Amino acid sequence: MFAQRFDPTKLAVVDSNEEKPIRKEESPLEKVIPLKRSNEVESEDKSEEEEEEEVYGLQEEEAENDIDMESGMSSYEEARIEEATEKTVSEPVTGKHDSVFSRFQQTISLQDRFKPDDLAQSDEDNMSEVEQRPLEQIPQPAIVRNLATNDNTSFSSDKSTAWMNSTKIYYDNSMIKPYDTYGSLLQPKLLQNIKKYFSQETFPIQTILLDTILPLINFSWSSTKKNFTRRVGDILVNASTGSGKTLAYSIPIIQTLSNRKINKLRCLIIVPTKMLIHQVFETLQKLSSGTSLVISTSKLENSLREEHSRLLQVEPDILIITPGRLVDLLSMKSISLKNLKFLVLDEADRLLNQSFQNWSEELLHSLNNDKSQVDTLPGNVVKMVFSATLTTNTEKLNTLRLYNPKLFLTQSVKLYNLPKKLQETNICIPTAKSLYKPLFLLHLLKKKVQESIDNKILIFVKSNEASLRLATLLSVMAEKFNSSTSLLINSINSNNTKSQNNKIVNEFGQNKGSSMHILITTDLMSRGIDINSITNVINYDLPISSQQYVHRVGRTARANMDGNAINLLVGKGERKFWNQQIDEDLSRDVDGHEVMALESDDPTNEIVVINEDEDSIYKECLFALKSQV
Ligand SMILES: Nc1ncnc2c1ncn2[C@@H]1O[C@H](COP(=O)(O)OP(=O)(O)OP(=O)(O)O)[C@@H](O)[C@H]1O
């Protein structure tokens, strides 16, 4: 009945026989992946969603039969899960169920012991964690990639067929050109808006995409509206964080639709979080200014009924929406996909990992139904799949039933690319000194203040509780160590209401002032958030995967600007985890930076040196914290 017990002693040891460059600090160990790692990445997304609802308080603002927008579950499903959860928890456990129930509790507690508590999940997640599946083998982790070869398809063994069948189009960071070179391919008004609101020059991913598909789009749209989508084909983009993906997909869409005569829903843009809806909307509004295009967003604070009537009154050309709300609108026939030409999945790997309500199947089912009236052939919509950590090794891309896909990527040996102006630093703390980690963080922040008061720092921790606790302790320490004037410390956590958290994020984005602004948050801020002035990202707690690392550090060094990522690594275990489970997957641009490692026994490393006075003041702060949190 329950998923097979997770036995940590049976960690999957994957023996990578292939010769691979042995890193100087790494002995020739076998690569070890915890049994649940691949699922953890999956559940990481669910827990982020749950966290999102919690932190943004989406649940309490739901109208009666609306849905949890982030989780994507309809109220019906939620009720079922709650009922099942209540039943499990409140039902008196009679004798005959005792042993089953206690085994279930043991399994959960055992899994939690081995799962970073940032995956501390709400009941729904635990319910989804205990999948109703026959007692068969738990899916083994994906085969470890052989990184020794230079062939960037070296990990092709675990790639989806969609990825394998795609036409690969490589680009590199040198591909930058003035937008004026597209004068003959772009509507004059669109070109004017790009240069007015964004830039005179392209970013590499924009160059390669516009060079490849603008001629196709312009020719196909003018010659055959019906086969236009098949002439263009589907588009997969794997491009680093902050590389301008939003603009890359928005420009071809506005270029195509600004010629339309009547407003019909021709473009659906699906994003995983509420914050991203607003960000994409702003980009499209700027690009389409001066046109009659109708761009709508799914207002998550509106009730489903209001949204339904609004969409029936005015059909938008472009709708930006989260998966959960999309499924409900489709089931209520609030929108028709009959005229759809573009389907965009932004942060696609995160979206495809969101399994709630099986949104992708629901979407494709509705698309086939609605399209059956006008075009039943494959390739009747241009699907655009974008991410900095695009899923390569799951069947999830196949569920999209891609048509003649083009895959845009850079030549890199590893799985993910980091922004080329990102400087990473590892601060290695011996386990014996881990008690002083908050004090080392204060030393680091004071050092950043000395470098520049304009520093804006995002600190990632593993859970809501850690965010609240660290913010409180830091504030106490800043006062005791006379640094409170120069540090403005805020935290995103579930103790705040949704509007308080939104206000904190907005202030952090606009912060101008005499003190350095510090925001402590969990991974809900790691996806797509575009605050270009973040100068430093500090991983106070390590992320649980290289994918999460890429999105966290991608909050800085955006749009070709400089940025710093600092990782606090406690003990040999975290150093090994960083080397083997994070660093192994990362490509750094040829003219990018090398990772710096500050060793705690390095006398010049003032961050981890403590004098006696500091020691006693710090202990006073810990004591004071006990009374506050
Ligand atoms: N050609 C350009 N020149 C200068 N800035 C640009 C250009 N294109 C986009 N930008 C800016 O770069 C920033 C990052 O863009 P965007 O958010 O689209 O990146 P992204 O690749 O989607 O990042 P993430 O993967 O984190 O979502 C935005 O502020 C955007 O306005």
Side-chain angles (χ1 to χ4, degrees):
M1 173 184 174
F2 297 114
Q4 234 167 330
R5 265 185 68 166
F6 168 70
D7 177 355
T9 55
K10 294 199 188 77
L11 289 178
V13 176
V14 185
D15 178 16
S16 49
N17 301 323
E18 296 85 2
E19 279 306 304
K20 68 176 184 175
I22 300 287
R23 304 171 63 82
K24 57 184 184 322
E25 70 274 11
E26 178 188 41
S27 61
L29 291 173
E30 286 151 341
K31 188 156 194 169
V32 176
I33 296 181
L35 266 182
K36 303 269 299 168
R37 185 170 173 243
S38 54
N39 292 344
E40 267 169 359
V41 175
E42 182 119 357
S43 55
E44 162 213 331
D45 283 324
K46 293 191 188 95
S47 65
E48 276 172 20
E49 268 166 28
E50 292 303 319
E51 199 168 285
E52 200 114 319
E53 287 161 21
E54 212 177 275
V55 169
Y56 283 95
L58 289 174
Q59 280 150 325
E60 76 259 9
E61 302 219 351
E62 295 318 307
E64 57 287 1
N65 67 349
D66 203 342
I67 54 163
D68 278 333
M69 275 60 81
E70 288 316 298
S71 71
M73 289 196 308
S74 65
S75 38
Y76 174 78
E77 280 207 331
E78 249 191 352
R80 295 296 68 76
I81 282 196
E82 267 159 28
E83 187 186 297
T85 314
E86 272 152 30
K87 201 160 165 290
T88 312
V89 175
S90 59
E91 193 177 48
V93 179
T94 59
K96 82 175 162 138
H97 295 307
D98 250 339
S99 61
V100 172
F101 192 69
S102 64
R103 269 211 308 279
F104 167 67
Q105 296 291 22
Q106 280 167 23
T107 310
I108 291 301
S109 59
L110 196 62
Q111 283 177 348
D112 286 350
R113 199 151 53 101
F114 279 88
K115 188 184 303 178
D117 64 8
D118 67 344
L119 294 183
Q121 298 169 354
S122 67
D123 289 343
E124 287 86 5
D125 282 318
N126 286 340
M127 286 308 294
S128 59
E129 191 66 26
V130 183
E131 283 169 19
Q132 305 297 334
R133 61 168 63 203
L135 284 179
E136 61 200 18
Q137 272 301 319
I138 291 179
Q140 292 307 310
I143 309 296
V144 173
R145 295 175 302 285
N146 162 17
L147 294 173
T149 61
N150 285 328
D151 162 22
N152 99 306
T153 56
S154 57
F155 35 84
S156 56
S157 56
D158 54 9
K159 280 184 175 175
S160 66
T161 45
W163 184 281
M164 297 294 290
N165 296 341
S166 55
T167 310
K168 291 170 188 54
I169 301 173
Y170 293 101
Y171 68 96
D172 63 51
N173 281 325
S174 65
M175 293 179 171
I176 294 170
K177 58 167 81 166
Y179 264 110
D180 282 333
T181 45
Y182 296 96
S184 60
L185 292 168
L186 290 174
Q187 307 274 352
K189 185 63 186 156
L190 173 55
L191 181 56
Q192 184 190 339
N193 291 336
I194 294 169
K195 294 197 294 184
K196 177 181 173 186
Y197 295 111
F198 295 96
S199 171
Q200 304 298 322
E201 277 189 335
T202 61
F203 276 169
I205 185 55
Q206 294 158 6
T207 307
I208 190 70
L209 210 64
L210 297 181
D211 287 353
T212 309
I213 67 171
L214 269 188
L216 274 175
I217 279 183
N218 287 342
F219 170 76
S220 311
W221 184 257
S222 54
S223 59
T224 154
K225 297 276 184 296
K226 186 166 171 54
N227 283 320
F228 151 76
T229 56
R230 276 174 279 278
R231 295 275 180 85
V232 177
D234 292 338
I235 291 158
L236 301 170
V237 168
N238 201 22
S240 61
T241 51
S243 58
K245 292 189 284 297
T246 314
L247 208 57
Y249 66 70
S250 302
I251 291 172
I253 292 170
I254 301 296
Q255 168 67 13
T256 308
L257 301 187
S258 47
N259 288 331
R260 66 100 176 94
K261 300 280 183 291
I262 304 166
N263 49 303
K264 295 277 180 198
L265 182 59
R266 293 184 178 86
C267 174
L268 203 50
I269 301 176
I270 306 174
V271 295
T273 65
K274 170 186 184 303
M275 247 194 259
L276 277 178
I277 289 183
H278 182 68
Q279 205 170 282
V280 172
F281 176 72
E282 276 197 335
T283 299
L284 287 166
Q285 278 288 63
K286 289 173 182 172
L287 285 179
S288 62
S289 66
T291 71
S292 59
L293 285 174
V294 178
I295 299 167
S296 278
T297 64
S298 171
K299 298 259 180 305
L300 297 181
E301 48 279 8
N302 290 351
S303 78
L304 201 50
R305 258 193 291 283
E306 285 164 343
E307 193 105 305
H308 174 78
S309 52
R310 185 165 63 86
L311 287 166
L312 292 183
Q313 278 159 16
V314 179
E315 184 171 357
D317 291 288
I318 300 173
L319 177 61
I320 310 160
I321 193 164
T322 51
R325 175 56 68 90
L326 173 64
V327 169
D328 263 12
L329 292 180
L330 288 173
S331 61
M332 291 174 72
K333 301 285 180 223
S334 315
I335 54 177
S336 161
L337 305 180
K338 187 176 77 164
N339 302 297
L340 204 67
K341 297 292 180 195
F342 295 99
L343 172 62
V344 180
L345 272 59
D346 194 350
E347 301 296 344
D349 57 314
R350 165 91 187 266
L351 288 173
L352 293 171
N353 272 333
Q354 279 175 334
S355 54
F356 281 116
Q357 220 163 345
N358 204 9
W359 69 271
S360 52
E361 283 304 312
E362 289 295 317
L363 169 61
L364 292 172
H365 176 72
S366 300
L367 184 62
N368 287 342
N369 278 349
D370 294 354
K371 277 288 187 186
S372 58
Q373 306 158 40
V374 290
D375 179 350
T376 56
L377 297 174
N380 50 23
V381 172
V382 175
K383 299 184 188 93
M384 304 171 103
V385 183
F386 280 68
S387 174
T389 51
L390 193 58
T391 304
T392 60
N393 62 349
T394 64
E395 72 293 339
K396 295 210 169 64
L397 276 179
N398 294 340
T399 56
L400 296 175
R401 296 196 275 278
L402 296 172
Y403 177 86
N404 181 21
K406 297 175 190 63
L407 168 62
F408 295 82
L409 71 170
T410 55
Q411 286 279 12
S412 64
V413 173
K414 306 281 183 73
L415 200 51
Y416 306 131
N417 289 292
L418 291 179
K420 70 177 182 180
K421 294 200 174 175
L422 178 71
Q423 173 59 60
E424 296 158 278
T425 305
N426 288 342
I427 295 179
C428 306
I429 302 167
T431 311
K433 287 191 173 181
S434 57
L435 170 73
Y436 296 99
K437 193 173 167 185
L439 185 52
F440 298 152
L441 176 63
L442 183 66
H443 286 172
L444 176 60
L445 295 175
K446 287 163 81 171
K447 184 168 180 286
K448 289 295 175 184
V449 170
Q450 289 157 9
E451 286 169 10
S452 159
I453 198 70
D454 291 337
N455 273 318
K456 188 177 286 183
I457 298 186
L458 193 56
I459 300 176
F460 283 103
V461 292
K462 60 189 172 186
S463 68
N464 269 315
E465 299 71 46
S467 174
L468 180 65
R469 209 172 33 247
L470 182 62
T472 310
L473 177 56
L474 261 186
S475 304
V476 171
M477 291 199 299
E479 199 166 323
K480 295 258 184 197
F481 286 93
N482 306 320
S483 318
S484 51
T485 48
S486 55
L487 299 179
L488 179 59
I489 300 164
N490 266 312
S491 129
I492 300 272
N493 61 69
S494 50
N495 280 29
N496 301 336
T497 62
K498 168 192 161 192
S499 49
Q500 281 171 330
N501 281 321
N502 282 340
K503 184 166 174 286
I504 288 168
V505 173
N506 293 333
E507 282 172 1
F508 180 66
Q510 282 117 33
N511 167 50
K512 297 265 181 293
S514 58
S515 52
M516 183 169 77
H517 205 154
I518 294 153
L519 179 59
I520 302 172
T521 181
T522 61
D523 284 291
L524 74 101
M525 277 280 290
S526 68
R527 283 275 182 170
I529 303 305
D530 182 43
I531 300 176
N532 283 347
S533 50
I534 294 173
T535 52
N536 294 267
V537 164
I538 297 176
N539 285 311
Y540 181 82
D541 293 321
L542 268 188
I544 60 164
S545 66
S546 51
Q547 193 179 35
Q548 206 173 68
Y549 181 83
V550 167
H551 287 284
R552 282 187 177 188
V553 301
R555 296 316 99 206
T556 186
R558 297 174 70 77
N560 259 351
M561 290 188 269
D562 291 329
N564 298 291
I566 299 134
N567 307 307
L568 300 186
L569 307 180
V570 175
K572 287 193 175 58
E574 288 200 348
R575 287 177 68 167
K576 194 160 87 172
F577 182 84
W578 192 84
N579 285 329
Q580 294 184 4
Q581 304 295 338
I582 295 178
D583 189 39
E584 276 292 332
D585 290 344
L586 306 176
S587 278
R588 294 169 182 87
D589 196 276
V590 282
D591 59 9
H593 299 281
E594 271 302 305
V595 180
M596 286 192 319
L598 301 179
E599 302 296 337
S600 61
D601 51 10
D602 173 351
T604 62
N605 182 4
E606 74 275 17
I607 289 170
V608 286
V609 171
I610 301 172
N611 60 44
E612 277 197 22
D613 293 348
E614 281 190 312
D615 187 17
S616 57
I617 297 173
Y618 176 60
K619 290 201 171 115
E620 279 174 35
C621 296
L622 290 180
F623 187 73
L625 177 70
K626 281 203 178 71
S627 57
Q628 292 198 35
V629 178

